[in-house]
Amino acid sequence: MTELLQWARHHWRRLINGGRTQGEDERSYNYSSLLACGGKSSQTPRPAGKHRVVIPHLQCFKDEYERFSGTYVNNRIRTTKYTLLNFVPRNLFEQFHRAANLYFLFLVVLNWVPLVEAFQKEITMLPLVVVLTIIAIKDGLEDYRKYKIDKQINNLITKVYSRKEKKYIDCCWKNVTVGDFIRLSCNEIIPADMVLLFSTDPDGICHIETSGLDGESNLKQRQVVRGCAEQDSEVDPEKFSSRIECESPNNDLSRFRGFLEHSNKERVGLSKENLLLRGCTIRNTEAVVGIVVYAGHETKAMLNNSGPRYKRSKLERRANTDVLWCVLLLMVMCLTGALGHGIWLSRYENMLFFNIPDPDGRVVSPVLTGFYVFWTMIILLQVLIPISLYVSIEIVKLGQIYFIQSDVDFYNEKMDSTIQCRALNITEDLGQIQYLFSDKTGTLTENKMVFRRCSVAGFDYCHEENTKRLESYQDTVSEDEECIDTLSGSSSNVARPRAQGCRTPHSGFLGKPSARLCGSTSAVGNGEGSGDVSHSRQAAFSSPIETDVVPDTRLLDKFSQITPQLFTRLDGTSQSSPPETLYIMDFFIALAICNTVVVSAPNQPRQKIGLSSLGGMPIKSLEEIKNIFQKLSVRRSSSPSLASGKDSTSGTPCAFVSRISFFSRTKLSPPTEDESSQMDEIPQASNSACCTETEAQTSDVGLSVGSAEAPNGPPPLASNLCYEAESPDEAALVYAARAYHCTLQSRTPEQVMVDFAALGSLTFQLLHILPFDSVRKRMSVVVRHPLSKQVVVYTKGADSVIMELLSVASSGTHPEEQQMIIRERTQRHLDEYAKRGLRTLCVAKKVMSDTEYAEWLRNHFLAETSIDNREELLVESAMRLENKLTLLGATGIEDRLQEGVPESIEALHKAGIKIWMLTGDKQETAVNIAYACRLLDPDDKLFVLNAQSKDACGMLMSAILEELQKRTQVSLELTSPRKNFPQLPDPPCPGRAGLVITGKTLEFALQESLQSQFLELTAWCQAVICCRATPLQKSEVVKLVRNHLHVMTLAIGDGANDVSMIQVADIGIGVSGQEGMQAVMASDFAISQFRHLSRLLLVHGHWCYTRLSNMILYFFYKNVAYVNLLFWYQFFCGFSGTSMTDYWVLIFFNLLFTSVPPIIYGVLEKDVSADTLLQLPELYRSGQRSEEYLPLTFWITLLDAFYQSLVCFFVPYFTYQGSDIDIFTFGNPLNTAALFIILLHLVIESKSLTWIHMLVIVGSILSYFFFALAFGALCVTCNPPSNPYGIMQKHMLDPVFYLVCVLTTFVALLPRFVYRVLQGSLFPSPILRAKYLTDYLRGRAEALKRWRGIAKVNHVASKYASQSAAKSGRPTPDSSANLAMKSATVCTVEQSTSETVLDLGYSEPGSSKMTGPSAS
């Protein structure tokens, strides 16, 4: 009964919420290749309570489980819309949401009214039934595909704990419920969102791969709930007595808030680190156990799962407006018919032959009869509204998408990917883009972070040796990467078992053989993931250009001064060490550990390492032996588990810290004395010129590399370690630290081990991690230093943020003054790095006492265990920790431009597209990249908008505007502020202008009072660069420009921080780079490199817009032209609503005979070749101005249709006037001539006729004659009293019929043909001139090829004649001179041809600009 209630509740919710279209907010989401249902899931559930309470599915909690967990939906998913029972009614219900379908349904019902009936009832239903059937079949096939995938997913097998059998049993995914305990093995896919309670990893770690969710192939760590990791055996569900309270289901993949409450009311905070999401895959972990908190459609994966994006394009909106004009025209024609019939009847009111009374003798008045005729005329002229237009548009767009995805130029061989079209109905918008908003990192650049320079303790190290290495890579990097790909591919059979094979656990860890833990891996897990992971993992941020860092010799010399003897001062037995050495040590420690990098060593089982790792250090003194014994005693005293509640360090300040620490699961070692040594005075000499800077060496102790041995055996070589980084920045810094022999060896939730040169292996106890976020723009790690035993906070982040968090010199002490000097020097180095286009980061530290840390942790614990306002509380807690920092240094990382970016941006500029760069980097870096990618030219006037207040921002914008107006010398009318913020044209100034605005100033400019001024300013600038912009600001900028300037916008990005910007723009482009697939999943189109954008817009965008515009206009033309034939006939039949054509021919004329040619035209038409469009980007401006589909073009098309219909009607009318032919015999020439006119009109409009075009046109003509002949032969009494029997047969034997068809077609199409000829000859458009240029160059090339062929033949003949003459002994008449003359002629022709090509190629853009209005 409970399952029935769950089913009813779930499906009622889907019925209420699931039917609504999500419109622009819909995104497609596939959580693995197998699970890619591609359909639309239900919307976010509306739970009854604010929070969710999860009770274990156990016998002892039966009543409480039924009250809470039993009311949630199970794990069955259903992405289909329909069932066998509701398919027909629901599909019809959805299709009749379209106004056009409702209109034709109204006509069908109207035709069933006897008083206004115009056709046979069955005939009127035919067009609507055909259209509805085609769409229903398409929807049904798509839904059936989803059903099969859903069935396959729901029937997957997983291990679920059975409360009846008291063991884990095989269970289908669909039967999993909230509160169930699930046990997964390595490589299995997670069936539902569950909280991790146990892992076979000794540190409570579970490695997962989230490529199904966000596309990131690098492994991520999840950890067991605090307090559960210390268990010596697998969690026993029967002994689990806790309950979970968490937030209601939501689609935020990066957030999870809740707490686990034990039976003693003690609460443990839960975060996303404890949550395993449905669709992820278990990697490198034997087995895990978790409890389900969200199932089925309430999982985060399914809440993010929706169908392809459906937007309404600009062209479609315009077509809908013109459909309304057609409706108005229909009303006018029907009113004309009604009035005409009433007037006609009033003239013959007394003649019973025309005014027949009813059977009761009552005569209907002419007014009422006219009213009836009005509705009859609506039925008769219904074809004026193109019912097949919408179906044809969908078919054409599918064809356009097919050809876009089939374009080989979009294929990226390195990534083995091509373009993805995720939005199915906005392809034509690609040809009308006016503003482009682009991210920088990963979009314009490669997102391959290369360590270039660093500044430590105020000294700059330029790494010249590393620069030379990078220069050598410039020419060979592509070859190296291909070699690496080949090697990784050839060794895939060896690498895959290592990457995915389950580790062998320690003997007796679970009390049972380890073979039992591996179990049988799910078939989905083996098949879906095992083939690709090893290659993708090796390729993530690990190319040689990123990993092979050559250290700076000066810094390496200083680094060599770090020896074990240097730190014996910690016991007070030695003098203080040089401060610069300490800075260098802390700097590289921060680079190595201040991250979330996952370390994996091939063929090396990971073992948990104790707090002390000094056993690996070379022992050179008795003091070191003493320190080792002290640390071993600490290690022994820290053995009891946290859950036992016994604190070995009770009475110390660490007791509370040990009990509530979120990350630490072992006792914190007691603190030692604080470091009391003072810094030596830093030299005051300037050291900005790092190449000439020299420092005295204070120690001659060399580096001792590779001499340390871990207690559990030799550690893996640094070169064999595999770093799984979430971002390339983190990987670059870790590789840089490794180059200086500060190697990150391993990472667990409670400790990080670093192999630090001569010091050996240092194990840092990891107390807390504050991850990076876009608000704080930094991340921090809190560790206990293994040498000083102090709590140290290492922080890295954006320099603008870190500099504000540094300690302020208030007391004027010597260390604080030195810190100010370091700060000033580092700031100069940062500015220099930014000018070189490097990405900058600052590194800082803070030393805390245990009391301070315990106080902070107490407050932070409250923030972690809260559910409401958790993010705000955590940010406030981080602010309390990350202050009064000590600056250690800064790094400069290079992110190189992608291939073809400068050329693409230059082409887009020529196409009239304004480009804005929205980036989070600092100003100098962004400007440098803008110059490198040709977004800015060296001659551009650059204006910087940087203000500290709103008023100052307004004044500065006014000053910049005044200067721009003076430079351009334009009239006051052009420069005055305009209403509705119209887009200004490119100002006729000698040089272009660029604008740079910082994030803080952008916040002021986006305020409502300054929006108008800001947009006015940006309209004068060719390029705009927004620095330090947050993701929210990016979306606000795009929204402002789109809504106020009413322009077509495109946003392109590659990371999660670009998602909001991509969703707001008219078209969103995702770049499948190295930052995962979040941007791709939120986009309308996905490309692999930025350079593909130019071809997508300039070629396919132009083609799609031109094709669809002309096709829609053609549909309006052919419908109006054909319907007017019926309208003109009403003037000769008393406006009675009679048709001169058989109803079947009338219906099939638009539905069959003339429907396929425009579809082929919309898919295959090419007005200009792809090469010409790329060489002349100015041709793109025609789409921006909507030249193909202007309101004037629409009305001219309708006037032409009226003219052609008049000719088509009256030429046969005057030909057969006075004859005794019947009504259908008169209508047959009209239909035949109309068919030829409509099809040949398409031939005139086509720019590129192929054999497919001709085949379809000929096929349409033949199908018409075949139907007319068959219908005339078989239909004897189809439409009594008149019938079409034998009419076409008689006409095909009559020469007059052929003469009428030819003459009518010629006269009707003559104006259109003459107009196109004159247009091409006297005033050609830029598109036509480009087409002529292409044809001319192609003809010259072919002529040149023929000339070369003739010259070659002559040369061979001359040579043969010379040989013959030599044999015969006769002299030749100066054959060599003739050959030289011919060769010179050929060279002259070649040279003149190439000069002509260059002249035409460069003069064409200019001429195109002169002929048409300039576009901004």
Side-chain angles (χ1 to χ4, degrees):
M1 187 64 182
T2 303
E3 294 182 356
L4 181 62
L5 291 176
Q6 291 180 9
W7 182 90
R9 177 175 177 268
H10 174 64
H11 284 77
W12 172 255
R13 182 183 301 156
R14 284 177 57 83
L15 181 63
I16 298 299
N17 295 332
R20 294 200 296 266
T21 303
Q22 296 181 9
E24 294 189 0
D25 293 333
E26 293 185 357
R27 300 289 187 275
S28 63
Y29 167 74
N30 303 329
Y31 61 86
S32 74
S33 58
L34 175 67
L35 310 182
C37 44
K40 186 193 302 179
S41 69
S42 61
Q43 291 184 342
T44 305
R46 305 281 185 183
K50 193 173 183 180
H51 298 159
R52 160 166 292 201
V53 178
V54 178
I55 304 299
H57 194 184
L58 301 173
Q59 191 68 31
C60 56
F61 295 100
K62 182 177 180 180
D63 296 337
E64 196 174 4
Y65 175 83
E66 296 293 338
R67 189 168 72 253
F68 289 102
S69 299
T71 61
Y72 305 132
V73 299
N74 60 15
N75 203 40
R76 179 192 297 269
I77 64 168
R78 176 171 168 252
T79 59
T80 58
K81 286 183 181 179
Y82 312 109
T83 64
L84 290 176
L85 296 178
N86 70 1
F87 174 74
V88 174
R90 182 167 182 178
N91 186 264
L92 290 176
F93 177 76
E94 291 185 352
Q95 291 202 55
F96 284 122
H97 274 75
R98 287 184 173 179
N101 291 341
L102 283 176
Y103 165 75
F104 282 96
L105 178 64
F106 168 73
L107 295 182
V108 170
V109 175
L110 190 64
N111 196 58
W112 283 70
V113 179
L115 292 175
V116 296
E117 179 182 357
F119 299 146
Q120 294 182 10
K121 299 178 178 61
E122 299 81 5
I123 297 177
T124 312
M125 297 174 58
L126 186 61
L128 182 62
V129 170
V130 170
V131 172
L132 295 180
T133 302
I134 292 175
I135 297 179
I137 292 175
K138 178 181 71 72
D139 294 342
L141 291 176
E142 181 181 355
D143 214 55
Y144 179 68
R145 179 180 63 87
K146 297 177 185 177
Y147 165 76
K148 292 194 298 182
I149 297 176
D150 289 345
K151 184 178 180 180
Q152 188 175 5
I153 294 173
N154 288 328
N155 291 323
L156 293 176
I157 302 299
T158 188
K159 294 284 187 180
V160 179
Y161 185 81
S162 172
R163 62 182 181 180
K164 296 181 179 179
E165 301 184 24
K166 307 296 183 182
K167 66 177 183 179
Y168 289 97
I169 62 174
D170 289 337
C171 180
C172 293
W173 279 25
K174 61 184 178 182
N175 298 325
V176 174
T177 59
V178 175
D180 279 344
F181 288 88
I182 294 181
R183 189 175 187 278
L184 299 172
S185 301
C186 183
N187 293 340
E188 280 195 277
I189 298 178
I190 302 171
D193 294 352
M194 61 185 196
V195 172
L196 183 60
L197 299 178
F198 170 77
S199 172
T200 55
D201 187 275
D203 300 303
I205 288 293
C206 171
H207 293 86
I208 62 172
E209 181 183 307
T210 61
S211 58
L213 294 179
D214 53 21
E216 296 182 6
S217 57
N218 52 305
L219 298 184
K220 295 179 176 61
Q221 287 185 351
R222 293 296 180 263
Q223 57 193 36
V224 174
V225 175
R226 175 166 44 88
C228 299
E230 289 78 11
Q231 302 179 81
D232 296 330
S233 60
E234 183 175 337
V235 61
D236 186 359
E238 293 295 333
K239 298 180 181 179
F240 189 83
S241 59
S242 305
R243 62 197 294 269
I244 295 175
E245 184 171 347
C246 58
E247 58 188 353
S248 299
N250 59 78
N251 60 358
D252 191 347
L253 296 173
S254 60
R255 188 190 73 182
F256 177 65
R257 301 179 296 187
F259 59 83
L260 186 145
E261 187 177 64
H262 298 297
S263 56
N264 58 1
K265 303 303 181 182
E266 181 182 357
R267 292 184 176 182
V268 178
L270 302 177
S271 68
K272 69 172 185 177
E273 303 298 327
N274 310 118
L275 186 67
L276 302 181
L277 296 179
R278 175 189 176 115
C280 298
T281 307
I282 304 295
R283 300 292 189 200
N284 291 5
T285 308
E286 290 285 356
V288 297
V289 175
I291 183 172
V292 177
V293 291
Y294 305 125
H297 287 278
E298 293 180 341
T299 59
K300 292 181 180 291
M302 293 305 299
L303 291 177
N304 278 276
N305 186 10
S306 58
R309 290 198 69 192
Y310 288 96
K311 289 182 178 179
R312 183 185 296 180
S313 66
K314 180 180 179 180
L315 187 61
E316 190 175 345
R317 293 194 298 267
R318 177 65 197 171
N320 290 339
T321 303
D322 291 338
V323 167
L324 296 179
W325 284 113
C326 288
V327 172
L328 180 61
L329 179 62
L330 177 64
M331 295 294 106
V332 172
M333 296 170 70
C334 293
L335 283 174
T336 303
L339 291 174
H341 187 69
I343 295 173
W344 187 81
L345 280 181
S346 63
R347 292 178 58 184
Y348 302 99
E349 188 174 1
N350 297 324
M351 299 182 64
L352 297 179
F353 178 78
F354 295 103
N355 198 359
I356 302 176
D358 293 336
D360 57 358
R362 185 171 58 89
V363 178
V364 182
S365 66
V367 176
L368 184 59
T369 305
F371 175 76
Y372 292 155
V373 168
F374 173 83
W375 297 107
T376 303
M377 291 286 289
I378 285 183
I379 300 174
L380 179 68
L381 306 179
Q382 62 176 299
V383 186
L384 185 64
I385 310 300
I387 184 175
S388 58
L389 174 62
Y390 295 100
V391 180
S392 301
I393 288 177
E394 289 190 6
I395 296 174
V396 166
K397 289 182 177 180
L398 288 177
Q400 292 176 348
I401 287 174
Y402 170 78
F403 283 109
I404 291 176
Q405 293 181 333
S406 301
D407 192 340
V408 295
D409 290 327
F410 288 127
Y411 179 70
N412 187 343
E413 187 175 0
K414 291 182 181 179
M415 300 184 64
D416 191 24
S417 63
T418 185
I419 188 171
Q420 301 177 35
C421 299
R422 304 172 62 82
L424 305 179
N425 55 345
I426 56 173
T427 54
E428 65 273 21
D429 281 347
L430 291 170
Q432 299 178 278
I433 298 301
Q434 296 164 283
Y435 275 75
L436 189 151
F437 300 90
S438 175
D439 179 38
K440 182 184 74 69
T441 304
T443 304
L444 300 177
T445 60
E446 293 181 344
N447 205 15
K448 287 186 177 180
M449 304 303 175
V450 181
F451 184 84
R452 292 299 301 266
R453 306 178 71 167
C454 68
S455 173
V456 185
F459 292 98
D460 183 20
Y461 302 96
C462 53
H463 290 73
E464 289 184 347
E465 297 82 358
N466 194 47
T467 303
K468 295 177 182 178
R469 175 189 69 90
L470 296 175
E471 291 175 354
S472 66
Y473 270 118
Q474 290 281 4
D475 301 327
T476 60
V477 61
S478 58
E479 300 174 359
D480 291 344
E481 289 179 352
E482 291 177 2
C483 179
I484 291 172
D485 292 339
T486 305
L487 290 176
S488 60
S490 62
S491 61
S492 58
N493 295 332
V494 179
R496 285 173 186 165
R498 182 182 68 238
Q500 298 184 0
C502 300
R503 278 192 302 106
T504 303
H506 301 300
S507 177
F509 181 73
L510 293 177
K512 294 186 179 181
S514 59
R516 184 186 66 84
L517 292 174
C518 295
S520 60
T521 307
S522 168
V524 178
N526 285 332
E528 187 269 341
S530 59
D532 304 325
V533 172
S534 77
H535 180 272
S536 60
R537 287 185 58 199
Q538 290 178 2
F541 320 134
S542 60
S543 64
I545 197 173
E546 298 171 279
T547 59
D548 299 340
V549 179
V550 179
D552 186 90
T553 54
R554 294 186 302 107
L555 183 56
L556 195 61
D557 291 339
K558 295 181 181 180
F559 196 88
S560 63
Q561 301 174 14
I562 303 175
T563 61
Q565 292 84 349
L566 197 62
F567 297 94
T568 56
R569 74 187 193 287
L570 295 174
D571 291 334
T573 60
S574 177
Q575 296 181 354
S576 60
S577 60
E580 185 182 355
T581 305
L582 296 178
Y583 273 83
I584 293 174
M585 178 180 177
D586 282 326
F587 177 80
F588 283 103
I589 288 176
L591 295 188
I593 71 174
C594 188
N595 50 63
T596 57
V597 174
V598 178
V599 186
S600 59
N603 302 325
Q604 180 78 11
R606 292 197 306 112
Q607 298 181 359
K608 188 170 182 179
I609 301 175
L611 290 178
S612 173
S613 60
L614 291 182
M617 290 178 52
I619 301 176
K620 300 182 180 180
S621 66
L622 292 176
E623 286 295 329
E624 294 178 17
I625 299 176
K626 177 182 177 182
N627 290 337
I628 292 174
F629 278 104
Q630 289 178 350
K631 296 179 184 299
L632 289 177
S633 64
V634 172
R635 181 179 177 183
R636 286 193 298 269
S637 65
S638 305
S639 57
S641 65
L642 196 66
S644 64
K646 298 179 181 180
D647 293 315
S648 62
T649 56
S650 58
T652 67
C654 294
F656 177 75
V657 176
S658 302
R659 186 171 59 86
I660 66 173
S661 173
F662 184 69
F663 286 90
S664 176
R665 299 185 183 84
T666 57
K667 301 306 169 192
L668 302 182
S669 56
T672 60
E673 298 182 17
D674 293 336
E675 182 180 350
S676 58
S677 59
Q678 301 293 330
M679 289 178 58
D680 292 340
E681 184 176 354
I682 298 178
Q684 298 296 324
S686 175
N687 57 355
S688 58
C690 64
C691 298
T692 60
E693 178 187 348
T694 59
E695 290 87 9
Q697 302 296 325
T698 60
S699 175
D700 58 353
V701 180
L703 286 172
S704 176
V705 182
S707 61
E709 293 184 359
N712 296 312
L717 296 176
S719 59
N720 292 333
L721 292 174
C722 179
Y723 294 138
E724 303 281 353
E726 294 187 8
S727 70
D729 298 86
E730 288 190 343
L733 297 180
V734 172
Y735 287 125
R738 189 181 70 175
Y740 285 91
H741 306 289
C742 180
T743 305
L744 177 63
Q745 290 284 350
S746 66
R747 176 186 297 275
T748 68
E750 58 187 22
Q751 60 191 21
V752 180
M753 189 177 75
V754 177
D755 186 10
F756 196 94
L759 297 182
S761 296
L762 301 180
T763 301
F764 294 82
Q765 187 176 359
L766 188 56
L767 305 180
H768 223 97
I769 294 180
L770 299 179
F772 177 88
D773 60 66
S774 58
V775 178
R776 293 166 43 247
K777 295 184 178 180
R778 60 187 179 272
M779 79 161 293
S780 299
V781 294
V782 186
V783 299
R784 184 171 294 281
H785 202 287
L787 300 178
S788 66
K789 298 302 180 296
Q790 292 176 322
V791 176
V792 183
V793 181
Y794 290 104
T795 304
K796 71 174 183 183
D799 55 322
S800 59
V801 176
I802 299 296
M803 288 297 185
E804 296 178 356
L805 301 177
L806 299 179
S807 57
V808 181
S810 58
S811 59
T813 59
H814 183 62
E816 292 179 348
E817 292 178 355
Q818 291 176 330
Q819 182 65 204
M820 288 299 297
I821 296 174
I822 294 176
R823 179 175 179 176
E824 294 174 0
R825 293 181 178 179
T826 305
Q827 186 61 57
R828 289 199 301 268
H829 298 157
L830 287 169
D831 297 337
E832 182 182 354
Y833 295 170
K835 291 178 182 179
R836 295 176 180 267
L838 303 182
R839 295 167 57 89
T840 56
L841 282 176
C842 281
V843 182
K845 65 173 284 190
K846 176 183 179 180
V847 179
M848 301 178 66
S849 66
D850 286 291
T851 304
E852 293 173 341
Y853 175 65
E855 180 63 25
W856 173 83
L857 193 58
R858 182 182 294 107
N859 297 325
H860 192 75
F861 174 76
L862 298 177
E864 284 180 339
T865 55
S866 63
I867 298 180
D868 300 326
N869 302 322
R870 184 175 189 176
E871 282 70 27
E872 293 79 2
L873 295 175
L874 289 175
V875 170
E876 294 177 1
S877 178
M879 293 294 293
R880 288 193 296 269
L881 180 71
E882 299 166 331
N883 54 37
K884 298 180 181 180
L885 302 177
T886 300
L887 182 63
L888 298 176
T891 61
I893 299 176
E894 180 184 22
D895 188 9
R896 300 190 173 191
L897 283 178
Q898 293 182 16
E899 178 186 358
V901 167
E903 293 78 9
S904 298
I905 289 183
E906 186 177 13
L908 295 175
H909 268 315
K910 291 180 180 179
I913 299 176
K914 288 197 170 184
I915 303 177
W916 291 33
M917 180 196 292
L918 310 179
T919 177
D921 284 342
K922 63 185 306 182
Q923 175 183 325
E924 293 81 1
T925 304
V927 171
N928 185 280
I929 294 296
Y931 279 115
C933 68
R934 299 181 192 172
L935 182 61
L936 294 175
D937 290 338
D939 298 332
D940 289 351
K941 177 66 175 179
L942 192 62
F943 297 93
V944 180
L945 190 59
N946 190 357
Q948 301 299 322
S949 65
K950 179 181 176 181
D951 296 335
C953 179
M955 295 175 61
L956 186 57
M957 285 194 294
S958 300
I960 296 176
L961 271 174
E962 291 178 2
E963 184 174 350
L964 283 171
Q965 292 166 7
K966 290 179 182 179
R967 293 177 71 245
T968 55
Q969 298 178 358
V970 294
S971 61
L972 293 177
E973 289 81 5
L974 183 62
T975 57
S976 60
R978 304 181 179 185
K979 296 181 179 181
N980 297 328
F981 314 109
Q983 181 185 6
L984 294 178
D986 288 337
C989 55
R992 305 187 314 172
L995 179 67
V996 179
I997 180 171
T998 60
K1000 192 171 185 180
T1001 311
L1002 185 61
E1003 184 178 350
F1004 302 136
L1006 291 176
Q1007 296 184 14
E1008 188 174 357
S1009 58
L1010 295 180
Q1011 288 179 358
S1012 172
Q1013 193 176 10
F1014 175 62
L1015 291 175
E1016 184 79 8
L1017 174 60
T1018 58
W1020 289 99
C1021 301
Q1022 186 70 18
V1024 179
I1025 303 171
C1026 299
C1027 312
R1028 301 295 191 188
T1030 64
L1032 180 60
Q1033 286 179 331
K1034 290 182 179 181
S1035 62
E1036 289 178 349
V1037 167
V1038 177
K1039 188 184 302 182
L1040 176 68
V1041 173
R1042 187 195 67 179
N1043 294 340
H1044 290 77
L1045 295 182
H1046 305 290
V1047 293
M1048 294 295 294
T1049 59
L1050 182 147
I1052 180 171
D1054 72 317
N1057 59 334
D1058 304 316
V1059 168
S1060 57
M1061 173 179 71
I1062 289 174
Q1063 292 175 336
V1064 167
D1066 292 296
I1067 290 184
I1069 306 289
V1071 180
S1072 53
Q1074 302 197 46
E1075 291 193 17
M1077 301 290 285
Q1078 297 96 326
V1080 170
M1081 291 190 297
S1083 65
D1084 303 310
F1085 300 87
I1087 57 180
S1088 58
Q1089 288 182 313
F1090 183 87
R1091 63 185 176 90
H1092 294 155
L1093 182 64
S1094 59
R1095 183 174 183 86
L1096 180 62
L1097 297 183
L1098 303 182
V1099 177
H1100 290 282
H1102 173 83
W1103 282 346
C1104 291
Y1105 168 73
T1106 304
R1107 292 164 175 170
L1108 207 59
S1109 299
N1110 292 328
M1111 191 204 75
I1112 293 174
L1113 288 173
Y1114 180 78
F1115 258 94
F1116 286 123
Y1117 150 77
K1118 75 181 185 71
N1119 284 25
V1120 172
Y1122 190 71
V1123 165
N1124 276 333
L1125 297 178
L1126 302 174
F1127 181 69
W1128 304 135
Y1129 180 72
Q1130 302 307 309
F1131 287 89
F1132 302 91
C1133 67
F1135 297 97
S1136 60
T1138 306
S1139 172
M1140 73 289 186
T1141 305
D1142 186 81
Y1143 301 146
W1144 287 102
V1145 177
L1146 183 66
I1147 293 299
F1148 281 121
F1149 191 88
N1150 276 297
L1151 200 63
L1152 183 63
F1153 304 141
T1154 61
S1155 60
V1156 180
I1159 292 177
I1160 298 299
Y1161 174 86
V1163 175
L1164 299 179
E1165 173 68 7
K1166 288 184 181 180
D1167 54 350
V1168 189
S1169 65
D1171 294 337
T1172 305
L1173 290 172
L1174 291 175
Q1175 293 172 4
L1176 300 175
E1178 293 82 0
L1179 300 178
Y1180 186 80
R1181 295 174 184 261
S1182 62
Q1184 293 175 331
R1185 296 189 288 261
S1186 302
E1187 292 179 355
E1188 297 292 335
Y1189 196 167
L1190 294 170
L1192 180 62
T1193 310
F1194 170 75
W1195 291 111
I1196 290 177
T1197 301
L1198 260 59
L1199 289 176
D1200 191 23
F1202 269 91
Y1203 164 76
Q1204 294 184 15
S1205 64
L1206 283 171
V1207 173
C1208 187
F1209 180 84
F1210 283 101
V1211 169
Y1213 172 78
F1214 288 115
T1215 302
Y1216 294 103
Q1217 189 178 21
S1219 64
D1220 58 351
I1221 61 174
D1222 60 12
I1223 182 173
F1224 284 174
T1225 305
F1226 170 69
N1228 190 57
L1230 267 66
N1231 279 325
T1232 307
L1235 179 69
F1236 281 108
I1237 291 171
I1238 290 174
L1239 293 181
L1240 292 179
H1241 179 97
L1242 184 63
V1243 174
I1244 294 175
E1245 293 299 310
S1246 297
K1247 305 296 190 302
S1248 60
L1249 287 176
T1250 64
W1251 65 271
I1252 301 178
H1253 290 81
M1254 302 310 299
L1255 179 64
V1256 170
I1257 291 175
V1258 173
S1260 297
I1261 296 175
L1262 293 179
S1263 64
Y1264 167 76
F1265 279 98
F1266 175 80
F1267 175 81
L1269 290 172
F1271 189 67
L1274 301 177
C1275 189
V1276 181
T1277 57
C1278 292
N1279 194 15
S1282 299
N1283 62 74
Y1285 180 73
I1287 290 179
M1288 180 59 76
Q1289 287 83 344
K1290 294 178 182 179
H1291 271 147
M1292 294 192 70
L1293 299 176
D1294 184 9
V1296 178
F1297 170 76
Y1298 295 101
L1299 179 63
V1300 167
C1301 291
V1302 173
L1303 182 62
T1304 303
T1305 303
F1306 176 79
V1307 176
L1309 293 178
L1310 183 62
R1312 167 71 58 171
F1313 181 77
V1314 172
Y1315 170 74
R1316 290 302 182 193
V1317 170
L1318 294 178
Q1319 182 190 33
S1321 303
L1322 302 180
F1323 45 93
S1325 65
I1327 299 293
L1328 284 176
R1329 290 203 301 273
K1331 180 176 175 57
Y1332 297 155
L1333 174 65
T1334 305
D1335 296 340
Y1336 169 75
L1337 295 179
R1338 186 182 297 114
R1340 291 296 298 267
E1342 293 177 356
L1344 185 60
K1345 185 183 296 184
R1346 290 195 298 269
W1347 177 273
R1348 287 173 175 170
I1350 295 173
K1352 186 176 180 180
V1353 171
N1354 292 337
H1355 174 68
V1356 173
S1358 175
K1359 185 177 180 181
Y1360 179 77
S1362 300
Q1363 293 176 354
S1364 301
K1367 291 180 179 179
S1368 61
R1370 291 176 298 178
T1372 58
D1374 197 12
S1375 59
S1376 62
N1378 291 335
L1379 181 60
M1381 185 178 297
K1382 292 179 181 179
S1383 302
T1385 304
V1386 172
C1387 294
T1388 303
V1389 172
E1390 291 181 358
Q1391 183 177 359
S1392 62
T1393 303
S1394 62
E1395 291 176 355
T1396 304
V1397 171
L1398 290 175
D1399 293 340
L1400 289 172
Y1402 282 100
S1403 63
E1404 190 61 23
S1407 60
S1408 66
K1409 288 182 181 178
M1410 294 174 62
T1411 56
S1414 61
S1416 58

